[in-house]
Amino acid sequence: MADIIPTRMELIKTKDRIALAVKGHKLLKQKRDALILEFFKILKKAKDLRGQLAAKMVEGYRSLALAETYHPIQEIAKVSLDLRKEIDIDIEVRNVMGVKIPHINTEMEITHFLDTPTYSVAGTSAKIDTAVEDFSEILEMVIKLAETETAMKRLIIEIEKTKRRVNALEYVLIPRLEEQKKLISFQLEEMERDSFVSLKAIKRRLEKEKAA
């Protein structure tokens, strides 16, 4: 502030900077609030998915454990290798207040595992069939959960960044500019008072010289 020249032009510039900072602060607060709203919306979705996935995982491992009581582990491992699927993943991006939120579209082979040439109905049992169905559903749920988790991480990063900017404007830049405006106004008033006193003194001196 020591380098600031107290002029009318500098005062006008400072007022303009304050107006711009206040406007920016308002817009950033709106962005922060919108991001937080979106975060909690996705958080609810993620919680639901986590709950569903946890329940399905229990169900899937129960099915797998049951299958292991009827079949050797080597046989189950061979079935799992024979049932590997091709998965096409297409990621679309949704823009939320400048944050790129991924939306994952997956396309798995639609052939039912019972129709797969490498899958032997005669050589397996309903126990393996159930485990295969459960883990197919689990895979789809994991991909969907990955989408929501990624979106949440990106939102958290942007929310924190926006909060820091809001705080910097609210508690540092705007108060500093306001203080600068007060200082310039005070110095200008002092200069005006000094000029007024000087003019009065010159006027009195001229009047004395005129009278003499």
Side-chain angles (χ1 to χ4, degrees), residues 11-110:
L11 182 61
I12 291 170
K13 286 181 180 178
T14 302
K15 287 180 179 179
D16 288 343
R17 291 190 195 107
I18 292 171
L20 185 62
V22 170
K23 184 179 179 181
H25 177 259
K26 182 181 178 181
L27 290 173
L28 283 172
K29 282 184 71 176
Q30 290 175 349
K31 178 182 178 179
R32 180 199 61 191
D33 295 343
L35 290 173
I36 291 173
L37 190 66
E38 183 70 18
F39 173 81
F40 280 110
K41 187 167 69 175
I42 295 177
L43 178 62
K44 183 182 183 304
K45 183 180 176 183
K47 283 182 177 178
D48 293 341
L49 278 170
R50 286 172 189 162
Q52 293 168 17
L53 178 60
K56 196 64 187 178
M57 289 287 284
V58 171
E59 189 179 333
Y61 279 109
R62 189 185 293 124
S63 300
L64 182 60
L66 187 60
E68 287 176 350
T69 62
Y70 286 84
H71 300 273
I73 190 67
Q74 294 84 359
E75 182 181 339
I76 295 173
K78 183 179 182 305
V79 170
S80 68
L81 290 172
D82 290 340
L83 290 176
R84 284 185 296 180
K85 293 183 178 182
E86 290 292 331
I87 304 175
D88 291 328
I89 297 179
D90 180 40
I91 301 177
E92 296 177 358
V93 176
R94 184 165 59 95
N95 195 308
V96 179
M97 303 296 289
V99 183
K100 294 180 179 179
I101 304 297
H103 177 68
I104 302 175
N105 294 313
T106 58
E107 287 186 13
M108 297 187 188
E109 294 178 17
I110 58 175

Side-chain angles (χ1 to χ4, degrees), residues 1-2 4 6 10-11 14-15 17-18 169-188:
M1 287 193 185
I4 295 170
E10 191 63 35
L11 182 61
T14 302
K15 287 180 179 179
R17 291 190 195 107
I18 292 171
L169 285 170
E170 186 172 347
Y171 299 110
V172 180
L173 183 61
I174 293 175
R176 189 174 66 196
L177 289 172
E178 290 285 357
E179 187 64 28
Q180 181 176 311
K181 185 185 77 171
K182 288 179 184 177
L183 180 62
I184 293 172
S185 297
F186 175 76
Q187 289 179 337
L188 285 173

Side-chain angles (χ1 to χ4, degrees), residues 96-211:
V96 179
M97 303 296 289
V99 183
K100 294 180 179 179
I101 304 297
H103 177 68
I104 302 175
N105 294 313
T106 58
E107 287 186 13
M108 297 187 188
E109 294 178 17
I110 58 175
T111 306
H112 194 273
F113 67 89
L114 291 176
D115 299 325
T116 305
T118 55
Y119 191 79
S120 172
V121 178
T124 58
S125 68
K127 307 295 185 296
I128 292 182
D129 297 347
T130 302
V132 169
E133 286 183 339
D134 287 342
F135 278 94
S136 293
E137 291 180 32
I138 286 170
L139 177 59
E140 292 178 9
M141 294 170 71
V142 166
I143 293 172
K144 202 65 185 172
L145 184 59
E147 175 189 316
T148 58
E149 295 284 353
T150 302
M152 286 170 57
K153 286 177 183 177
R154 291 188 179 182
L155 284 169
I156 287 173
I157 291 170
E158 192 63 27
I159 287 168
E160 287 301 318
K161 191 189 298 180
T162 306
K163 281 173 66 177
R164 285 196 296 271
R165 289 174 178 171
V166 168
N167 290 339
L169 285 170
E170 186 172 347
Y171 299 110
V172 180
L173 183 61
I174 293 175
R176 189 174 66 196
L177 289 172
E178 290 285 357
E179 187 64 28
Q180 181 176 311
K181 185 185 77 171
K182 288 179 184 177
L183 180 62
I184 293 172
S185 297
F186 175 76
Q187 289 179 337
L188 285 173
E189 288 172 3
E190 285 290 307
M191 289 167 65
E192 286 178 358
R193 278 195 291 270
D194 290 344
S195 297
F196 180 75
V197 171
S198 298
L199 287 172
K200 290 286 286 183
I202 292 170
K203 184 180 178 182
R204 283 196 300 269
R205 191 176 65 197
L206 290 173
E207 288 176 348
K208 285 182 181 178
E209 289 178 354
K210 185 180 179 181

